Amino acid sequence: MIRRPPPPPPSVCFDVPDGHGVIEVTGDESGSLLLLAGDPVFLEANDGRGSVGWLAARAGTGGPGLFEVKYLTDWLSAPGLVPDPRTGQAEPPDPERLRPLLSLLASGRYVTTAAVAPHQLRVVHPRALQVHHWYADEELALVTTDAWPPHDHRAERGYRDRIRAGGDLPALVALFPTAESCVGYLLDGHHKLAAYEQTGARPLIIRLTPQVPRPFRRDDLDRARAVFSDRAAPRHQDDALGRVFSDMRAESD
């Protein structure tokens, strides 16, 4: 029997007309760059090694963090999204509920969806000035943008108890460069994600995606090459980053 692919998830398009540009993602499903307050801070990309190999890197420890989004935590702990038990898909939330976070994005049109993660979910935590390699044997990978594992064990326990009790699932929020991307940046929900991992349950993820992918900008890539490079790193690590940046530069506007 031929198995039919699942239907596309329900989505909502919305405009961010006056975003502050604190959070911006450029690139596409083959690689992307996350900028915080205009600074290149996180990178993920196909590393060109074959077998669908990927890498993720983080700039130095002095970069900005994502503390600005913390006031969404209370609502996201129980957002009232109900996944379909067959597909795992849920009706996305009203964008107005995410407005505190959306106002931090670069201006433009975005699409949001909500669904329970596939069975195979990889958590990638790149350390400052180090490259993290993996092979894409999963359907989805999330790059952490805050401390991992999280430090607030009381918050973790609270989410873990909520997940085990069933009912209203807590939600993560992740930013993806395109709708087809299998790697996204976790903007909010590190404690929730840790709780999901402890229970073995699959997390509910709200995906944010620019409706039109934003191409790499050469100025950003030049600065990224400088802030991600570590002269003390093993040579093969620098070579992998070099290949990625060369490919990105060729695709830049």
Side-chain angles (χ1 to χ4, degrees):
M1 180 176 178
I2 298 176
R3 181 177 297 177
R4 295 182 179 180
S11 62
V12 171
C13 294
F14 57 92
D15 291 309
V16 178
D18 52 358
H20 297 299
V22 175
I23 304 170
E24 183 180 14
V25 64
T26 62
D28 56 29
E29 57 270 20
S30 65
S32 66
L33 186 66
L34 184 72
L35 298 99
L36 301 179
D39 294 329
V41 178
F42 291 93
L43 165 76
E44 60 82 18
N46 187 320
D47 68 1
R49 290 188 171 188
S51 301
V52 198
W54 290 81
L55 65 77
R58 180 177 181 175
T61 56
L66 288 174
F67 61 90
E68 296 94 339
V69 305
K70 295 304 183 186
Y71 44 81
L72 278 175
T73 300
D74 288 344
W75 177 71
L76 289 168
S77 67
L81 305 179
V82 182
D84 183 293
R86 181 175 58 87
T87 65
Q89 299 169 358
E91 288 292 332
D94 182 345
E96 286 303 317
R97 301 303 302 265
L98 295 171
R99 189 58 58 182
L101 171 59
L102 302 182
S103 67
L104 299 176
L105 298 175
S107 298
R109 171 158 281 208
Y110 292 82
V111 179
T112 183
T113 62
V116 173
H119 286 288
Q120 293 180 312
L121 171 66
R122 178 179 289 270
V123 179
V124 181
H125 181 59
R127 300 181 184 278
L129 297 179
Q130 295 183 17
V131 177
H132 185 111
H133 290 278
W134 77 97
Y135 288 98
D137 53 352
E138 306 85 8
E139 298 180 43
L140 180 66
L142 292 180
V143 179
T144 62
T145 60
D146 206 341
W148 187 263
H151 301 313
D152 190 342
H153 301 300
R154 178 181 296 179
E156 282 182 43
R157 286 195 299 271
Y159 293 130
R160 186 177 62 227
D161 293 344
R162 181 187 296 274
I163 293 167
R164 286 174 173 166
D168 199 354
L169 293 174
L172 321 178
V173 181
L175 179 63
F176 292 76
T178 72
E180 294 77 24
S181 299
C182 62
V183 184
Y185 300 96
L186 182 60
L187 299 185
D188 184 87
H190 291 74
H191 291 90
K192 303 179 189 73
L193 178 57
Y196 273 114
E197 288 202 327
Q198 291 168 18
T199 62
R202 292 179 290 150
L204 175 62
I205 302 175
I206 299 172
R207 293 176 61 126
L208 303 176
T209 308
Q211 187 179 52
V212 177
R214 302 170 184 269
F216 296 117
R217 296 182 293 260
R218 293 205 172 199
D219 288 349
D220 292 336
L221 292 177
D222 289 343
R223 291 187 297 124
R225 183 187 287 271
V227 299
F228 282 97
S229 296
D230 182 5
R231 299 185 185 279
R235 185 63 194 170
H236 64 84
Q237 177 168 301
D238 288 338
D239 291 345
L241 274 179
R243 287 196 305 271
V244 166
F245 279 122
S246 294
D247 292 343
M248 288 180 168
R249 188 172 180 83
E251 299 171 7
S252 63
D253 59 6

